[in-house]
Amino acid sequence: MAPFLAYEDKGPTQGPASSRQPHTPPVPLVLVHGHPFDRSMWSPQIRTFSRDRRVVAPDLRGYGASPAAPAVTDFSGFARDVEALLDELEVDTCVLAGLSMGGQIVMDCYRLFPERLRGLVLADTFPAAETPEGVRTRDAMADRLLAEGLGGYADEVLERMVAPYASPQVKAHVHAMMTGTSPQGAAAALRARARRPDYTALLARVHVPALVVVGADDTYTPVSDARALHAALPDATLHVVEGAAHLPNLERPEEFDRALAAFLAHVDARRQPSSAPARP
C-alpha cells in the first residue's frame, strides 16, 4: 500500500553485501510526524542525522504531499503504511520515532512488527485509548475541518502547538503545515485516531530501548504523561526539553538532537559485534 506515500530518504544506504564494510552501519532512523503536520516538521533532524545514517521521513496518508485517498479508516492503517514503505525502501530494521499522533503510530508499529524495530522514540505522546468524551470531541473536530478547512483551527491552536514565546520562524512553519493539510485527510485521521486501541499494556512488552521526550510547557501531553510513559517502559530514558511546548524538535532542535544523538549511539552500540574472543 505505501509506495503512494511521499517521503524523504536521505543519508548513506547500505550497499550490496560484497561491498559492505566489516563494521555494523548505523541503524536507519524513520521519523513519523504528528497531526496536522507533514514530514517537514522533522527538517532539523533530517538535516542533522542524515550526515552519517539513513533517515526516512514519510508524509502520512492524507498529509503533506501524500494523497488523502484511499482514506485511512482504521488507525493501524498508518502503521501498515509505514511497514509497506520500509519494505519498498528495503529498510529491514530501524529506530522508529514519532511525535504526538506519530508516537501512537510508533506504538502501533511495535504492536504489529516489533521484530523490525531496534529502538523507539516517543515524543509528546501518550498510550491510552480515547475516552468517550474524547471520541465525541475528535468526531466533532473532523466535521468542523471538513466544513471550514484548517485555517481557523490553526489560528486557535498555534500557541499550544508551540509555546507563545517560540520564534516567529517556527510559528510560521507550524502554521503553514497546519493550513496546508488536507481537510479530508485530517478528518479521516481524527476519526481513526479516536478509535485507536489502548497501548498501555503493550509498553511493558517493549524489549528495545526507548527515548521519551517532552516539552516542559506542553499542555496537550504534559510532563506528567511523559513520566508515566517512561515508568511503564522496561528500558527507557526521559528527556524534558525546557523552553518548548508540543513540538520540541522544532522549538529547541539543538537540545532535542543532542538527546536523540545520545540515544542513537546507545542503540548503535548494542548492535556492534563484540571484539572479545569467543570462549573455547
Side-chain angles (χ1 to χ4, degrees):
M1 286 291 294
F4 70 86
L5 295 183
Y7 61 88
E8 287 193 54
D9 183 6
K10 303 287 188 183
T13 59
Q14 215 172 348
S18 60
S19 66
R20 290 177 192 166
Q21 298 298 316
H23 70 280
T24 305
V27 183
L29 174 64
V30 178
L31 301 165
V32 184
H33 66 78
H35 165 88
F37 308 125
D38 58 50
R39 68 184 189 268
S40 75
M41 68 156 279
W42 294 114
S43 293
Q45 289 69 48
I46 295 169
R47 186 165 52 248
T48 295
F49 293 101
S50 65
R51 294 168 188 158
D52 60 4
R53 77 178 64 237
R54 189 176 188 183
V55 180
V56 176
D59 282 336
L60 296 170
R61 194 189 317 191
Y63 295 89
S66 292
V72 66
T73 55
D74 184 280
F75 195 67
S76 65
F78 288 123
R80 291 301 187 195
D81 285 349
V82 171
E83 183 181 31
L85 183 61
L86 297 181
D87 290 342
E88 175 75 10
L89 299 179
E90 299 182 345
V91 177
D92 295 331
T93 62
C94 65
V95 168
L96 191 58
L99 184 145
S100 191
M101 182 181 79
Q104 292 164 342
I105 293 169
V106 167
M107 294 180 226
D108 209 75
C109 289
Y110 192 86
R111 179 179 69 88
L112 294 172
F113 48 95
E115 71 284 352
R116 299 184 71 164
L117 306 183
R118 294 291 173 262
L120 310 181
V121 181
L122 302 170
D124 301 81
T125 193
F126 64 97
E130 204 62 77
T131 64
E133 180 183 359
V135 172
R136 290 190 292 272
T137 298
R138 292 197 188 278
D139 284 347
M141 180 58 71
D143 291 340
R144 176 189 169 185
L145 297 184
L146 288 173
E148 301 176 8
L150 277 87
Y153 170 78
D155 292 343
E156 290 170 15
V157 303
L158 178 61
E159 292 193 349
R160 287 189 70 193
M161 292 295 188
V162 297
Y165 50 79
S167 74
Q169 293 82 4
V170 167
K171 287 184 179 181
H173 179 191
V174 173
H175 193 271
M177 285 192 293
M178 289 192 285
T179 55
T181 295
S182 156
Q184 292 76 20
L190 282 168
R191 297 190 202 284
R193 188 182 183 192
R195 291 155 182 84
R196 70 186 182 276
D198 191 322
Y199 301 109
T200 304
L202 174 71
L203 299 180
R205 305 196 301 272
V206 172
H207 295 303
V208 296
L211 172 64
V212 178
V213 186
V214 66
D217 294 332
D218 190 347
T219 57
Y220 284 117
T221 51
V223 174
S224 58
D225 284 359
R227 294 193 189 282
L229 182 58
H230 169 250
L233 289 157
D235 179 8
T237 301
L238 173 65
H239 190 89
V240 179
V241 180
E242 298 295 334
H246 195 55
L247 293 167
N249 69 301
L250 282 174
E251 297 171 84
R252 294 289 182 268
E254 296 85 0
E255 183 175 347
F256 185 95
D257 288 358
R258 281 194 296 271
L260 180 53
F263 177 73
L264 291 171
H266 171 64
V267 174
D268 288 340
R270 288 166 58 104
R271 297 176 70 236
Q272 295 298 328
S274 172
S275 59
R279 292 184 179 181

